[in-house]
Amino acid sequence: MGATDRVRDLAASVCDALEVELVDVELAGGVLRVTVDRDGDLDLDIIARLTRQISRLLDEDDPVPGRYTLEVSSPGLERKLRTPAHFERVVGQVVNVRTNAGTGAGRRFRGTLVAADAEGITVRTDEVPDGTAEADAATHTLRYDQIERARTVFEWGPGPKPGSPSSKSRPPNPKKAAKP
């Protein structure tokens, strides 16, 4: 069993006790990153409790050789997608996918993740790879071993237009007040 698997086992018990989902464990460049999530609110108090408890277990068991820095955090707005469960969770959302060289498909896709299962994913794009426009949306099916990296895409929406109901929360303009 590798170090990340041992850390995953230790962290899972802490996450279960605090009703938090353990999303991922990654060890790279001296950083041990534990990513967690929870439906609803995942606040700093929970992150701090998880960090203390996971750190204590790591000190007792010592599954990671050498020095490292422990980071416990949420996945954020643009989430890395590495496992089939990660992909299944975000079906219907916009994703960026980069494929391994030599897959026969384009190297980069941006589109809606329309399906994900144990074997791979299907992404619907408005363009074919490398920016060549196509009349209809293209559908690309990839096996997980063809994917170099993938992540969700956070798309900013337009702000409220002046005078719209959401901009009415400002204090009233006294010059526009009705005359008696």
Side-chain angles (χ1 to χ4, degrees):
M1 178 183 286
T4 56
D5 292 328
R6 290 175 56 201
V7 171
R8 186 181 318 280
D9 289 345
L10 292 169
S13 63
V14 175
C15 290
D16 289 345
L18 293 174
E19 298 177 349
V20 174
E21 176 191 0
L22 177 60
V23 175
D24 202 8
V25 175
E26 180 181 18
L27 178 61
V31 176
L32 176 60
R33 191 168 292 114
V34 177
T35 307
V36 296
D37 202 2
R38 179 165 93 173
D39 288 336
D41 193 20
L42 182 62
D43 60 23
L44 289 177
D45 290 334
I46 295 292
I47 297 286
R49 286 180 64 189
L50 285 165
T51 301
R52 284 191 302 272
Q53 292 179 17
I54 292 170
S55 179
R56 190 174 309 123
L57 288 174
L58 294 174
D59 288 345
E60 291 171 6
D61 192 80
D62 200 22
V64 180
R67 298 182 67 168
Y68 61 90
T69 301
L70 173 64
E71 285 183 5
V72 179
S73 66
S74 71
L77 293 174
E78 293 195 346
R79 300 165 180 237
K80 288 183 184 179
L81 305 172
R82 296 180 352 138
T83 68
H86 292 169
F87 285 94
E88 290 169 6
R89 185 177 188 168
V90 298
V91 168
Q93 294 184 27
V94 177
V95 295
N96 275 337
V97 179
R98 181 173 173 163
T99 62
N100 294 317
T103 61
R107 286 293 310 264
R108 298 171 197 264
F109 297 97
R110 179 184 176 127
T112 303
L113 181 64
V114 294
D117 59 23
E119 304 301 316
I121 65 170
T122 302
V123 178
R124 187 181 66 241
T125 61
D126 293 331
E127 296 180 344
V128 293
D130 302 325
T132 306
E134 186 176 273
D136 294 358
T139 302
H140 308 278
T141 300
L142 300 166
R143 295 183 322 270
Y144 291 114
D145 65 349
Q146 294 176 301
I147 300 171
E148 181 179 312
R149 65 177 168 244
R151 69 176 357 164
T152 59
V153 176
F154 178 73
E155 295 181 324
W156 290 93
K161 294 181 180 179
S164 70
S166 60
S167 68
K168 301 273 184 190
S169 61
R170 290 181 263 166
N173 185 341
K175 292 181 182 178
K176 292 186 178 182
K179 295 181 182 178

